[in-house]
Amino acid sequence: RRPRTWRADLAFVILGGLAMLQRDQMAFLLPAVVALSVLVPGDGSVRIGQPELARGGGRINGGIFRRQLDRKRASILTCYNVGLGRDPELEGDLTFILVIDTQGMAGAEVEEDDPAFAAAGVTSCVVGKLRQVDFDDTPPSSELRVRVPIHFEP
């Protein structure tokens, strides 16, 4: 398995065993092995807990709801792995509220955050992924708010 590299706003060039990293107006020259280890994300795991109704009178098929969440598991894991690359000790739980409107479009709110996850960019990344969940094939009859707990561990 080939490791993925992460280069948000960081550019690097490998020159004969040395890597030049450039960010904003600063440049650094490091051994290539050190530079690449900085850029490789972690290899963690994500467990999406049992969703539960937070508020709303709408209904949605539980199996469809779970399948739609499971389709986002890989991208949520990517959010976490990038955060693990920044903070290898990053572990814990986040809770989100998935808001599904009558057209089946999803919004996401953070119910329980962790400052370390926020600092590593994991929380905002996961919110973006959850907003991409789509229930337009089976929208609820009225707005539905579902609590979604997610556990992250290295």
Side-chain angles (χ1 to χ4, degrees), residues 4-148:
R4 294 169 292 163
T5 58
W6 170 69
R7 294 174 287 200
D9 57 345
L10 188 67
F12 72 99
V13 177
I14 297 178
L15 307 165
L18 291 177
M20 183 178 77
L21 282 75
Q22 184 173 355
R23 181 178 178 154
D24 300 326
Q25 303 298 334
M26 300 176 70
F28 307 92
L29 198 57
L30 300 170
V33 173
V34 173
L36 290 176
S37 68
V38 169
L39 300 174
V40 176
D43 189 22
S45 67
V46 169
R47 183 174 39 86
I48 300 175
Q50 182 64 38
E52 63 181 42
L53 184 64
R55 191 174 69 213
R59 295 197 183 277
I60 196 162
N61 180 294
I64 292 172
F65 185 87
R66 190 53 145 168
R67 278 193 300 279
Q68 290 297 84
L69 275 183
D70 285 344
R71 287 183 181 154
K72 289 296 171 191
R73 182 185 308 274
S75 58
I76 291 170
L77 178 59
T78 299
C79 292
Y80 178 56
N81 282 335
V82 169
L84 266 181
R86 296 177 183 163
D87 179 359
E89 303 297 317
L90 195 61
E91 180 176 359
D93 299 292
L94 299 176
T95 303
F96 300 91
I97 301 291
L98 203 57
V99 182
I100 307 163
D101 69 17
T102 56
Q103 282 77 45
M105 301 301 294
E109 301 169 359
V110 180
E111 184 178 62
E112 292 179 29
D113 199 0
D114 180 309
F117 280 83
V122 175
T123 305
S124 60
C125 181
V126 172
V127 165
K129 301 307 177 189
L130 289 175
R131 286 183 177 151
Q132 295 171 2
V133 176
D134 188 3
F135 297 97
D136 63 349
D137 289 340
T138 59
S141 55
S142 62
E143 184 181 271
L144 184 62
R145 299 173 70 82
V146 181
R147 183 174 290 106
V148 180

